[in-house]
Structure formats: structure tokens, C-alpha cells
Amino acid sequence: MNILAIESSCDETAVAVVCNGRQVLSDCISSQVDIHKIYGGVVPEIASRKHIEAIYPLADQALAVAGITRADVDAVAVTYAPGLIGAVLVGVNFAKAAALALGKPLIPVHHIRDHIAANYITHPDLEPPFLCLVVSGGHTMLVDVQDYTKMEVLGGTRDDAAGECFDKIARVLGMPYPGGAALDRMSRGGDEKKYPLPQAKVDGNPLDLSFSGLKTAAINLIHNALQKSGSNALKNGCAGQEDPSSVIRLAGGGGCHLPPGGKALGETVDVPSLCASVSACVSSALVSRAVLALQQTGRKTLAVAGGVAANSRIRADLSREAQRLGVRLCLPALRYCGDNGAMIGAQGYYEYLAGNTADMTLNAYATKSILGEAL
Ligand code: KG4
Ligand code: ZN
């Protein structure tokens, strides 16, 4: 069964052709990162417009690379939630038009389920049940994957997602959007013990997490140093040469405005060590919850999903813990951690087998639970 799979929930337009849920025949991506970089984050209206420009030629390209024609498409799968509403709408409307024109089933797929399914491509023998640590840009949660389409959320973040936390700290350090990967690279060789950062424990569910305190502590540390030393505060960092007022502007408002230059009191932030300290802190919070969830559920396989699954520290820490516990660890190949079309084709196949298709009334949603409930 050839599924034409479409993704447009954030800043990548992606179209893939996937055969029987596991065999990727083509996987085409048009990234908008270079455009949004200028603004330090995704500008939703620009994202929607770029998706419209990219999606049609990308779909043609995906068919050509797969070596099939439109007549060989058996179904059309699309991310319908959650995401930037204007962006998701582009993919959904394209998918509806394609399904209608081809006379083939339309399969709506939830984006977190997409990310989980990236593991089916990297690990062809992986089958539910398993536990999945989902760490995407906007979501952090532990999901018990009982079957391909039957899942239970065991815990998650109460505030920022891990990816958001990385991105916001990276932005204050002057790293280009999205900063998670740059922060990861910068942390190599840093001293992770140099900056003790808070690790939140959440009342109630021990599997819940919180990253806003860590984010604020790291950003305050940078601001305090900048206030004392001006832009020269960032030692070995990438923002050292920039105007501090551009360095400290925070996504979503906030931040403080410093006089350009500041007063040189000699206080510096060791950027690699701060990045290493942040990475160690985020990783430890995630790994401890994953271990607890494994113990609670008795699952013998742990999968990881989402853009932050590319983080080298998290991958290393999870590998060590999985080995210690005698648990199988499934990490998606790096190219399947971030947004891509192949994972939509993988999950779409299983949604189809479960009878989860839609008609032309399908809508796009900015938020929806992984179980498809309104939030
Ligand atoms: O899953 P994804 O592509 O988007 C959502 O569906 O939300 O994840 C994007 C996130 C961004 O926050 C990005 O900074 C982060 O993944 N990311 C990383 C790394 N590579 C990407 N975070 C930490 N370390 C990395 N190596
Ligand atoms: Zn995503």
C-alpha cells in the first residue's frame, strides 16, 4: 500500500511516499529554517505562505523520486494536529484535494503519533507495546504505546517542553534559531558541573516534568553576567561580538534591556560549560522519568521521539541507562528525529489499518490530545 504522506505543522514542508508503513520510497523536505532564522523564531504567517509555495512541487518530487505515478497512490495521510494552525491547514487542504482527486482514502494523523512512528522506519522490527519518551520542540511526554493506535500518556511537562527550553536559552546566547542543535554542539568540551542549575520535582505525578525554572535560571545567569560585563560576558560563545540588546531579546516577550556595552567588570559566562550544564540537567530530568516509567509499566523497550531525540547528551545517557536496566533502546536515525514526511506515512498506514480515515469535512487543529481529544 503506497501512502502519499504530508507534513506541514511547523516550519518544514515534507512529502514522502511510504509503502506498507515501513518502506520509505521517497522522503522530500523543504525547510524554512533560513527564513525564520532572521526573526529568531517561526513567524506563523510566513510559515503558511511558504508551505503553500512548496507543497505542490514537493508532492510531484516525492512521486518522481519514489518512481510512481499518481495512479499508484493508495491513500493520502496528513498531519492534522497539533501545530501552527495556518501551517497545518495548508497540508490538510492539500491532502483533501489530493485524496478527492485521486479517489483514495484520506488518513488524518496526530503529529506526536507521527514522531513516535519515526521509530518504525529506523527499527523495522519494532512493534508495540513499548514506552516512548516524546521530546519534540513543543511537547515533552511519556507515552505508553500499547498498540499502533492505542496509547496512554503517563506524564509530561507542566510548562515548557525540553526543546523550547533549549531553544530559548540558545537564543539568549545568540545562537541562531532553532538553537537546540547549536547548544548541543557548543556543550561539547564544557564542564557540566560548573553551573548548578535547578531540577524541578513536580507535586502529584512523579512522571511529570517542569523546565521553566531551569530555563529562567540559565537566562538570569546570562543576563546578570551581561549586566556586569556587557556583550563580552559570553566567553567562547557565539554572541560575543553582537550588540547585547540583540542577544537578550527573548522569544514570547520578557527579557531585560541592557545599555549597549554595559560595564566591564570582568564577569564572564563560560558558554560551553553553561550549555553542558543545561544539557546535563535536561537529560537527567528526562532520563529519571523514563526509568521510573519503565519500572512502573514493566515495558522492556524504550523508544525516543521528536527533534530533541537528536541531542547527543540525551542519547548517551539513555543508552547507558537502558544497558544498565537490560532494556532495548530505540533511537530514531538523526534524519527522522525532526519533522519529515516518512513518519506520517508510517503512522498513517497503521491508522488506516485501524479504520481511522476521514472525509472531506476533516479540519486542522492547533491543539488536540494524542488520543484525538479537544484540549
Ligand atoms: O520535533 P521537532 O522537529 O518539532 C516539533 O514537532 O515540535 O523538534 C524541534 C526541536 C527544536 O526545539 C530543536 O531545537 C530541537 O528539536 N533539537 C534539538 C537538537 N536538534 C533539534 N534539541 C537539542 N539537541 C539537539 N541536537
Ligand atoms: Zn514535529
Side-chain angles (χ1 to χ4, degrees):
M1 177 180 193
N2 290 327
I3 294 186
L4 181 69
I6 293 156
E7 154 65 28
S8 70
S9 66
C10 190
D11 57 354
E12 330 268 6
T13 322
V15 184
V17 177
V18 182
C19 181
N20 295 335
R22 303 267 177 165
Q23 196 191 348
V24 181
L25 303 184
S26 65
D27 183 21
C28 302
I29 299 186
S30 166
S31 175
Q32 306 176 3
V33 163
D34 285 343
I35 298 153
H36 299 294
K37 224 177 226 174
I38 302 166
Y39 306 97
V42 181
V43 182
E45 180 61 25
I46 295 176
S48 311
R49 287 166 190 272
K50 292 289 160 194
H51 284 308
I52 292 171
E53 285 170 21
I55 201 156
Y56 200 101
L58 209 63
D60 274 341
Q61 189 190 337
L63 292 178
V65 173
I68 64 169
T69 68
R70 292 176 192 191
D72 301 317
V73 172
D74 298 305
V76 182
V78 63
T79 301
Y80 80 105
L84 300 170
I85 187 63
V88 189
L89 266 168
V90 175
V92 166
N93 281 297
F94 181 85
K96 282 163 76 170
L100 183 68
L102 300 173
K104 299 291 161 138
L106 174 66
I107 311 165
V109 192
H110 188 282
H111 192 60
I112 302 299
R113 293 185 182 215
D114 293 334
H115 276 295
I116 294 171
N119 285 285
Y120 301 140
I121 299 165
T122 304
H123 307 282
D125 62 330
L126 175 65
E127 287 181 12
F130 58 87
L131 188 73
C132 188
L133 172 64
V134 177
V135 274
S136 70
H139 296 85
T140 301
M141 56 177 80
L142 275 155
V143 181
D144 190 34
V145 183
Q146 294 155 2
D147 203 342
Y148 287 105
T149 56
K150 196 165 163 251
M151 308 177 189
E152 187 186 343
V153 178
L154 304 177
T157 184
R158 299 265 183 99
D159 39 59
D160 293 277
E164 241 173 308
C165 176
F166 278 131
D167 290 349
K168 288 178 178 169
I169 295 169
R171 185 173 176 179
V172 179
L173 287 169
M175 294 169 184
Y177 162 85
L183 189 148
D184 187 11
R185 281 192 298 276
M186 184 63 77
S187 65
R188 282 171 210 155
D191 172 8
E192 67 175 65
K193 296 208 165 37
K194 185 155 178 175
Y195 297 105
L197 293 164
Q199 220 187 98
K201 275 223 173 72
V202 182
D203 277 347
N205 184 353
L207 294 177
D208 277 354
L209 300 116
S210 161
F211 289 109
S212 72
L214 161 64
K215 175 194 72 181
T216 306
I219 289 174
N220 283 347
L221 191 148
I222 302 160
H223 282 169
N224 287 338
L226 283 167
Q227 249 156 352
K228 289 184 179 152
S229 301
S231 59
N232 295 327
L234 299 175
K235 194 174 89 182
N236 304 329
C238 43
Q241 308 307 316
E242 291 186 37
D243 170 4
S245 61
S246 73
V247 171
I248 58 162
R249 235 177 289 121
L250 295 183
C256 61
H257 293 276
L258 303 172
K263 231 176 153 199
L265 298 181
E267 185 164 329
T268 58
V269 176
D270 175 350
V271 176
S273 294
L274 179 60
C275 292
S277 302
V278 168
S279 302
C281 205
V282 171
S283 180
S284 149
L286 293 171
V287 172
S288 62
R289 299 321 190 278
V291 168
L292 188 58
L294 283 167
Q295 287 163 347
Q296 278 186 10
T297 58
R299 296 283 183 230
K300 291 286 167 229
T301 302
L302 173 67
V304 192
V308 181
N311 183 270
S312 59
R313 177 63 195 251
I314 296 169
R315 288 174 91 94
D317 287 351
L318 284 172
S319 301
R320 194 193 54 242
E321 281 304 295
Q323 204 167 17
R324 184 179 69 82
L325 297 170
V327 162
R328 179 183 181 194
L329 177 67
C330 292
L331 296 164
L334 289 180
R335 65 166 297 157
Y336 294 127
C337 289
D339 290 341
N340 62 86
M343 65 187 188
I344 284 83
Q347 184 62 24
Y349 178 69
Y350 295 105
E351 298 288 348
Y352 177 79
L353 293 183
N356 298 334
T357 56
D359 61 20
M360 289 298 133
T361 61
L362 176 67
N363 205 352
Y365 298 89
T367 57
K368 260 287 178 208
S369 85
I370 195 169
L371 305 177
E373 296 154 340
L375 289 174

